[in-house]
Amino acid sequence: MSSTQPGASRPGAAGKTALTNVRVFDGQQLRPPATVVIEADRIGADPAGATVLDGDGGVLLPGLIDAHVHVRDRGTLERLARLGVTTVLDMANPSPALVDSLRGVPGLTALRSAGTPALAPGCLHARMLVTDERAQIKHADQAGQFVADRVAEGSDYIKIVIGSPGADHDQATVDALVAAAHEHGKQAVAHASSYAAVAKAQQAGVDVLTHVPLDQALDEASVARMAADGRILIPTLTMMETLVSRLGLPAASYAAARGSVAAAYRAGVPILAGTDANADAGSPAAVSHGDSLHHELELLVDAGLTSLDALRAATVLPARYFALQDRGVAGPGRRADLVLIDGDPLQDIRATRRLRRVWCGGIGHELAD
Ligand SMILES: [Zn+2]
């Protein structure tokens, strides 16, 4: 797959494109064929004076959202855009300056970021994910300053790594980090890939859990608590599958991960599509950006989600739970983040891979085999 540079297929002279004969996914169903207007960076309503582009009966989705990635360069955002992923939530990044430089670039995938995560000194992630001293929280007393620093740097939410091999935060430290995040009006997102880590995160009242246990599937009591507390789950099945298949961890089971998603879904826990895509040098579990989100949708369906709920997990729900009010739905006034595909993803989720064209903030990306 190749593409022209972003900007090469801007809307016509009037700055307006009328995309005709497309079936829009409205968050619940596919609408009958209609016209969608792209006006500058927004979805418009009036096709008068627009350059017409025949959608030829294709399906038009809101741009897909990957709720767990790691981004280190601009090329990654270009790749994500070409593959239909128009917003990503970065879940740990060593450089606030880098994040700032990647925010709001016209035509590229939009980025939100946790920035520096809260790591226990000596844990595996402190040697791998972000090695900066600033990330290391030794004691609950440091939580307030840590969160204040992240807020000053522009972090969109606070990431706390719990249960990383080698060393871990005590309960009081996790409690203090979550309380500090909430004092600043920020969501607390917990990395938790073991049963015990999920319990610690839930005890502290985190808003979002990411990953799912590889040692033991979440049980009914655990998912019932998640649902009752309004907690969100970003399971990253793609990463769990990668860890099990590539690293061959002795106590790790993909069946546990899949079972946790099935249990959480049955309990009514909102599930968001996230991949943990990363291209970090030395990562033991690199996952490619963009195509991995299409794979994640397939894994969510395999774990029991309907195709509709898998699609919502990458559109409506991340927009709702991460306060991205201007996207997640392809309607007038929203950001013109759009994905035109062949085939009906409500019948077969693999249709999201059949990309014909992507718009990121109204700027088109041509696709070709
Ligand atoms: Zn991650």
Side-chain angles (χ1 to χ4, degrees):
M1 193 174 282
S2 65
S3 86
T4 55
Q5 289 299 306
S9 54
R10 285 175 183 278
K16 209 190 229 193
T17 300
L19 182 57
T20 61
N21 192 20
V22 288
R23 293 178 292 158
V24 174
F25 172 61
D26 67 4
Q28 289 294 342
Q29 61 192 343
L30 298 187
R31 293 243 177 100
T35 296
V36 169
V37 178
I38 299 170
E39 189 164 8
D41 67 342
R42 298 279 141 179
I43 299 172
D46 177 11
T51 304
V52 174
L53 187 65
D54 185 1
D56 196 24
V59 167
L60 193 68
L61 306 175
L64 301 174
I65 300 171
D66 187 332
H68 188 147
V69 301
H70 300 276
V71 174
R72 300 290 182 260
D73 57 33
R74 182 187 169 116
T76 298
L77 297 180
E78 291 171 356
R79 174 183 168 83
L80 283 158
R82 287 198 305 272
L83 293 170
V85 181
T86 57
T87 298
V88 291
L89 307 182
D90 181 299
M91 284 297 172
N93 197 296
S95 169
L98 172 67
V99 170
D100 283 347
S101 75
L102 297 175
R103 287 186 192 268
V105 182
L108 291 191
T109 293
L111 178 70
R112 299 289 184 276
S113 181
T116 302
L119 303 170
C123 77
L124 175 66
H125 287 77
R127 279 173 274 141
M128 184 184 80
L129 187 64
V130 173
T131 54
D132 198 308
E133 269 283 311
R134 296 175 310 132
Q136 300 187 13
I137 302 300
K138 301 179 184 69
H139 192 270
D141 292 350
Q142 294 175 282
Q145 189 62 52
F146 173 85
V147 172
D149 289 347
R150 300 295 79 74
V151 171
E153 286 170 354
S155 292
D156 295 288
Y157 32 80
I158 302 300
K159 174 81 179 293
I160 307 165
V161 174
I162 304 173
S164 174
D168 199 9
H169 303 297
D170 60 18
Q171 185 71 53
T173 300
V174 181
D175 293 352
L177 286 162
V178 173
H182 291 168
E183 277 166 29
H184 286 274
K186 298 293 183 188
Q187 289 163 293
V189 180
H191 161 117
S193 58
S194 68
Y195 188 89
V198 169
K200 193 181 273 187
Q202 296 221 85
Q203 180 65 31
V206 302
D207 306 283
V208 181
L209 288 159
T210 186
H211 308 306
V212 274
L214 285 172
D215 56 342
Q216 179 186 339
L218 295 171
D219 51 27
E220 295 305 319
S222 178
V223 295
R225 182 173 190 182
M226 268 180 217
D229 291 353
R231 207 152 282 130
I232 311 304
L233 181 62
I234 310 172
T236 70
L237 285 173
T238 299
M239 175 52 80
M240 306 339 272
E241 179 188 58
T242 301
L243 288 170
V244 170
S245 66
R246 202 176 299 164
L247 300 186
L249 303 175
S253 155
Y254 183 74
R258 185 175 180 274
S260 295
V261 171
Y265 182 59
R266 283 195 302 269
V269 175
I271 292 170
L272 311 187
T275 61
D276 208 3
N278 71 89
D280 297 350
S283 168
V287 166
S288 69
H289 294 83
D291 45 345
S292 56
L293 184 65
H294 300 277
H295 183 61
E296 184 73 18
L297 297 180
E298 293 159 18
L299 293 180
L300 290 172
V301 169
D302 174 66
L305 272 68
T306 61
S307 294
L308 172 62
D309 283 332
L311 270 186
R312 287 171 59 83
T315 54
V316 179
L317 296 188
R320 177 185 301 167
Y321 293 114
F322 280 89
L324 303 163
Q325 289 96 342
D326 63 346
R327 63 199 76 183
V329 177
R334 309 289 180 124
R335 223 175 103 92
D337 289 343
L338 297 164
V339 178
L340 181 63
I341 60 172
D342 284 320
D344 180 352
L346 297 178
Q347 299 299 318
D348 181 351
I349 195 65
R350 292 173 296 182
T352 65
R353 293 180 181 274
R354 294 167 61 189
L355 297 164
R356 275 169 48 193
R357 196 166 172 125
V358 178
W359 288 263
C360 230
I363 296 179
H365 291 255
E366 302 274 2
L367 306 171
D369 291 325

